[in-house]
Amino acid sequence: MLKMRLLTESEGLLRPLLITGLLLFGVGGCGGDAQPDDSEGDGVVLESPGEEVTDLDETVVDAEAAVISRPMNKSCLAAGEPTPVATTIALEQPFPHLPHLGMVLGLLQSPGDASQWYAVTQNGRVLQFANRSDVDAFATLIDLSDRIYYQPGSELGLLGMAFHPDYADNGEIFLSYTAANPLRSVISRLVSASGRWQETVILEVPQPYENHNGGNIAFGPDGYLYIGLGDGGSGGDPHGHGQDTSSLLGAMLRIDVDGGTPYAIPEENPFSGYGRCSDSSRDFHNHPCPEIFAWGLRNPWRWSFDRQSGELWAGDVGQNRWEEIDRIRLGGNYGWNILEAESCYLTANCDPNQYEPPLVSYSHEHNDRSVVGGMVYRGSDPQLAPLQGTYLYGDTYSARIWGVRTDGSEVESEQLLAPALQLLYSFAEGLDGAIYLLDPAFSSSGPGQNIYKIVAAASPQPSLAPVPPLSLAESGCVDAEEPTEAAAAMIPYQLNTPLWSDGAEKSRFFALEEGSTIDVDKDGDLLFPVGAVLLKQFYLGEKIVESRLLMHFPSGWRGYSYAWEYDSGGKAIAATLLGDSWDRDLGGGQRWYYPSSTECMECHTNSANIALGPELIQLQREIQLDEGSTIAQLAWLEKMDLFSLPLSTEQQWSPLTALDAEGATDLQRVKSYLHSNCAGCHQPGEVNTATIDLRYQTPLAEMGICDTPPLRGDLGLSEARIVAPGRGGGERSVLVARMESLDSGLRMPPLASGEVDQQAVALIRSWQEGLSECP
């Protein structure tokens, strides 16, 4: 009997991985009549009946001639029902037949008319559809796509809309959007006349960078128009807008659109005695701006008025550590960039008591990294009566929803729901007080998928996050007696270009339910069926430090991290499921970061089809057997009948190459590295990061990186570019700077890595400086 092994991807022939439970017969065409038995087996066996196989060195196993058996899997499955937990709210799709609307950032009803909805899309359109559960069509009410500045995945575009309180009589709509040449935020008034919309710009504010634009607008109970603007972007407020009242940025503005041309200043505004700051050519003015209602804000992305009390509630997006909920009052200074929430930011020593404190703040520890302000519930649904007076808010990345209640002295905030949404971008409120959520990441996955309504939950409400056993040894995915070894049901695989994980070596496996198969999409991504489980083991030297399971439940994918424990001699003895992320000190100056379940899904995106590594250009390689012979990995997998359809010739693209691959060009190595480390987020379809396309198959000229100014700040680099061709280009490259940074707000990739990949940085620097020009 001959046993077969796979080798980990990094630095050639390193750790042998026993392939358990796979039977190969008839190597080289011999013994084609042999059949596997029904046992799960204890290792891959290459047998040629009637002949002893002993001379496989320096040979290639013919996968076409070999008979390869798929292992039985009765143990490693993503099955079972979710664990019931008591919650107050649930989500339902109120418009299940409505075609997807695109990148919806706002949803409104006009004053006094609940029969229609108006959806604000980031690419410049206002769409109208009937408020009926059977609605299956929409119409375009307004199209400003010819004048807005919009980039997919950015914070640019049509960002806000407000109906005039007297809309039924005057027909006025107000819009907030970004425009280019020069870059600026625009507030305009639209009135329909003779079937055409006539636009009058009432305010333009110059923007130094393309992020932190704010953009939400709304009329307050006082009849004035409120405008939320961020600090102008980049990172850390480099121009100091937040604390400079001679700038309109980093502030909540309030103007009277009925009292003057183009607007008047309400007398109660804190700086109402000064002239308007309406000169769109100036970032700063020589006096405080009378339009300011409150200031010291970083990026008030979404905010709203309590329809009963008139109080203004806002979610202010934080920098590196804290998100906050504020109640915005007239003349309030909310501290940015002196403070981030209640922590000193600009300097080590500051006095938080000089500024308005947040009502609630939360950290970035659990994949909660971008607050979304919501609404105070004032609806009439009797089943939601316990929510009356509760302010609902969420987070873009975790999609968790919290509720805040306060009696003026005590503040209580509790998590209400952790729905299976990819992203949460905005809340909306109907005239009846019902509250809705908008998840643009689902906008292309089917009808009605990006609009959800908050309803009362059944008791108990099924949890959307089932969990595997606390002990990895009980998961069925590893050997119960030797849990560092994969179970017999697991199928190992290797990648051409693995993700950088602080120098760790990794072994990889997957398991499928009996009879299920894998689809392959047009881009070569493997689409694993419900029930599938992927296992990844992480080693630092000879020490196993983490095991991760990625499991496809009926309710969706979930990722889990297990931390290994050791006996007094340093031997790994058990791995335990973590309930949250953990930055662990392993001793000897070595740290290891275990991601939380929600953090796992930040990288395993829908656009990348969740399972990042298993794709044809990663799997198209030879794998080595114990005695030095090799076999084509894709042919080997295909012979096990793992794919729903045979792989076609068209699907055999050029494979990715390793950083040190012989015979490969620098461009091939660079693009392979960017594909495996960055393209999971940076590709078409990703809401926040789609402005560049780092997939391997994308030509360099179409990737949007070569000699391209960065959208998210220059990081202090002179003449910054994402990729800067020519001599000295590495010093101007934001790509290199982010790879070298260990700052959690700047580093890319942003999670689960605390060491710089020096080999990759050196390659990408050298490649840039060798470019004479961009294609």
Side-chain angles (χ1 to χ4, degrees):
M1 182 172 71
L2 178 76
K3 291 187 177 179
M4 173 176 144
R5 69 176 183 175
L6 286 180
L7 305 172
T8 51
E9 301 95 347
S10 60
E11 301 192 13
L13 311 183
L14 292 173
R15 181 182 315 282
L17 305 174
L18 184 66
I19 300 184
T20 58
L22 304 183
L23 303 179
L24 286 80
F25 297 88
V27 176
C30 300
D33 292 334
Q35 297 294 325
D37 61 26
D38 291 331
S39 67
E40 294 192 7
D42 62 355
V44 171
V45 182
L46 298 182
E47 292 185 347
S48 186
E51 143 178 28
E52 183 179 2
V53 181
T54 59
D55 56 347
L56 289 181
D57 290 349
E58 307 301 328
T59 63
V60 177
V61 175
D62 184 355
E64 285 296 321
V67 178
I68 304 172
S69 177
R70 171 175 168 174
M72 296 177 63
N73 178 23
K74 299 178 180 179
S75 62
C76 186
L77 301 168
E81 292 299 319
T83 303
V85 295
T87 63
T88 306
I89 62 174
L91 300 182
E92 70 174 20
Q93 293 178 303
F95 312 112
H97 307 291
L98 185 67
H100 71 80
L101 304 177
M103 186 67 179
V104 178
L105 300 185
L107 193 64
L108 303 89
Q109 292 181 319
S110 63
D113 183 5
S115 68
Q116 300 289 313
W117 282 103
Y118 301 86
V120 180
T121 68
Q122 194 175 359
N123 65 352
R125 298 189 301 163
V126 177
L127 309 178
Q128 180 179 356
F129 61 90
N131 185 19
R132 302 193 317 267
S133 61
D134 63 345
V135 62
D136 59 3
F138 61 84
T140 299
L141 178 69
I142 298 171
D143 188 348
L144 295 185
S145 58
D146 61 341
R147 69 197 73 179
I148 71 165
Y149 178 40
Y150 165 66
Q151 293 287 337
S154 72
E155 299 176 34
L156 305 163
L158 180 57
L159 304 177
M161 171 178 167
F163 287 99
H164 192 285
D166 295 328
Y167 173 76
D169 296 324
N170 62 26
E172 293 183 355
I173 292 176
F174 292 79
L175 296 178
S176 168
Y177 60 88
T178 53
N181 301 318
L183 180 63
R184 61 201 188 277
S185 290
V186 178
I187 308 298
S188 68
R189 182 198 321 250
L190 279 80
V191 179
S192 180
S194 302
R196 296 174 60 88
W197 289 97
Q198 296 181 350
E199 180 183 20
T200 302
V201 173
I202 61 174
L203 178 64
E204 294 183 292
V205 181
Q207 289 281 1
Y209 303 102
E210 296 188 351
N211 59 329
H212 300 183
N213 301 305
N216 194 32
I217 58 175
F219 280 90
D222 52 14
Y224 297 134
L225 181 65
Y226 288 70
I227 303 163
L229 292 176
D231 65 7
S234 186
D237 193 8
H239 296 271
H241 291 120
Q243 291 301 308
D244 195 329
T245 57
S246 70
S247 167
L248 293 175
L249 296 175
M252 183 70 68
L253 312 182
R254 182 175 71 164
I255 60 176
D256 181 357
V257 297
D258 298 319
T261 304
Y263 60 85
I265 301 297
E267 292 183 0
E268 299 83 2
N269 282 9
F271 309 114
S272 61
Y274 296 92
R276 292 194 301 252
C277 293
S278 55
D279 183 351
S280 61
S281 66
R282 301 186 62 179
D283 196 358
F284 293 95
H285 302 265
N286 56 10
H287 57 76
C289 294
E291 294 89 346
I292 291 177
F293 179 83
W295 66 98
L297 300 171
R298 183 177 179 272
N299 192 27
W301 167 244
R302 286 295 177 256
W303 44 269
S304 65
F305 291 95
D306 180 346
R307 60 169 58 189
Q308 179 171 304
S309 70
E311 292 175 314
L312 175 53
W313 294 72
D316 193 18
V317 180
Q319 180 73 29
N320 296 333
R321 297 176 57 199
W322 296 97
E323 305 297 309
E324 64 183 270
I325 295 295
D326 299 306
R327 280 196 298 191
I328 307 297
R329 68 172 186 84
L330 180 66
N333 180 350
Y334 290 82
W336 176 252
N337 66 350
I338 304 299
L339 296 171
E340 182 182 12
E342 295 180 281
S343 297
C344 296
Y345 176 81
L346 190 61
T347 62
N349 297 311
C350 68
D351 183 4
N353 294 322
Q354 296 183 20
Y355 308 94
E356 295 289 333
L359 198 66
V360 174
S361 61
Y362 63 88
S363 74
H364 289 188
E365 292 179 351
H366 312 302
N367 195 34
D368 302 308
R369 298 192 293 112
S370 187
V371 68
V372 182
M375 281 87 180
V376 176
Y377 180 72
R378 298 295 183 185
S380 57
D381 184 344
Q383 293 184 302
L384 288 175
L387 279 187
Q388 275 294 329
T390 300
Y391 177 73
L392 304 182
Y393 69 97
D395 188 276
T396 294
Y397 292 96
S398 72
R400 294 199 289 173
I401 302 168
W402 293 270
V404 179
R405 299 183 68 90
T406 178
D407 60 4
S409 58
E410 297 291 330
V411 178
E412 295 182 359
S413 180
E414 65 174 334
Q415 179 178 313
L416 300 178
L417 192 65
L421 305 181
Q422 181 70 9
L423 293 171
L424 169 59
Y425 248 48
S426 191
F427 288 79
E429 184 181 24
L431 293 181
D432 61 356
I435 295 180
Y436 300 78
L437 275 64
L438 305 179
D439 174 11
F442 280 74
S443 61
S444 60
S445 62
Q449 291 289 324
N450 55 342
I451 301 175
Y452 297 87
K453 183 180 181 180
I454 292 179
V455 296
S459 182
Q461 169 71 10
S463 165
L464 293 179
V467 295
L470 291 177
S471 171
L472 182 65
E474 299 175 4
S475 68
C477 302
V478 297
D479 188 298
E481 300 299 323
E482 295 290 341
T484 59
E485 301 291 342
M490 306 304 291
I491 300 171
Y493 64 96
Q494 284 183 278
L495 305 181
N496 286 315
T497 310
L499 174 75
W500 167 255
S501 299
D502 290 356
E505 301 168 22
K506 287 166 277 187
S507 56
R508 306 164 188 268
F509 307 83
F510 66 84
L512 305 180
E513 286 187 345
E514 290 293 316
S516 65
T517 55
I518 302 169
D519 294 332
V520 180
D521 75 0
K522 61 180 178 61
D523 294 324
D525 290 339
L526 270 59
L527 309 180
F528 287 88
V530 169
V533 179
L534 281 71
L535 166 67
K536 186 159 56 175
Q537 311 266 51
F538 295 78
Y539 295 83
L540 290 173
E542 294 298 316
K543 184 176 185 178
I544 187 170
V545 293
E546 182 182 0
S547 296
R548 291 182 193 166
L549 295 179
L550 187 64
M551 310 181 76
H552 194 181
F553 293 100
S555 59
W557 285 91
R558 288 291 180 273
Y560 304 97
S561 296
Y562 285 81
W564 280 90
E565 302 163 11
Y566 312 95
D567 63 16
S568 58
K571 179 183 176 181
I573 55 175
T576 303
L577 178 67
L578 297 178
D580 215 329
S581 58
W582 184 19
D583 186 5
R584 183 181 187 183
D585 186 352
L586 296 175
Q590 177 71 56
R591 303 195 70 85
W592 186 259
Y593 186 84
Y594 302 84
S596 67
S597 183
T598 51
E599 286 174 331
C600 286
M601 305 318 297
E602 180 175 344
C603 292
H604 290 274
T605 62
N606 282 341
S607 296
N609 291 314
I610 304 297
L612 298 177
E615 52 182 323
L616 297 186
I617 56 177
Q618 285 277 27
L619 299 172
Q620 187 174 330
R621 57 173 291 156
E622 291 184 343
I623 51 179
Q624 188 171 345
L625 311 182
D626 266 339
E627 276 66 22
S629 55
T630 61
I631 188 170
Q633 180 171 228
L634 280 177
W636 177 65
L637 294 171
E638 193 168 15
K639 289 289 286 186
M640 283 184 272
D641 294 325
L642 293 172
F643 300 115
S644 57
L645 294 172
L647 298 181
S648 65
T649 303
E650 290 74 16
Q651 290 174 313
Q652 307 298 315
W653 297 302
S654 299
L656 301 186
T657 59
L659 282 175
D660 54 0
E662 295 182 4
T665 67
D666 281 352
L667 179 60
Q668 289 173 322
R669 286 191 283 259
V670 168
K671 290 184 67 179
S672 294
Y673 187 87
L674 295 178
H675 181 97
S676 67
N677 285 269
C678 311
C681 291
H682 295 285
Q683 64 171 280
E686 272 304 294
V687 182
N688 279 324
T689 50
T691 54
I692 57 179
D693 184 359
L694 300 185
R695 295 175 300 168
Y696 183 77
Q697 59 265 42
T698 305
L700 177 59
E702 299 174 14
M703 295 174 76
I705 59 175
C706 194
D707 204 26
T708 302
L711 290 179
R712 304 297 174 91
D714 57 17
L715 307 187
L717 303 178
S718 176
E719 299 181 12
R721 296 292 186 269
I722 299 175
V723 166
R727 184 176 180 181
E731 300 303 318
R732 298 190 294 118
S733 170
V734 169
L735 173 61
V736 169
R738 289 191 181 277
M739 290 177 64
E740 290 184 321
S741 176
L742 296 180
D743 187 313
S744 62
L746 302 177
R747 179 164 174 73
M748 289 291 161
L751 288 172
S753 176
E755 296 183 15
V756 175
D757 189 345
Q758 299 292 354
Q759 184 184 11
V761 169
L763 171 66
I764 291 175
R765 276 183 177 274
S766 173
W767 165 71
Q768 289 188 63
E769 297 188 359
L771 286 174
S772 58
E773 60 182 3
C774 293

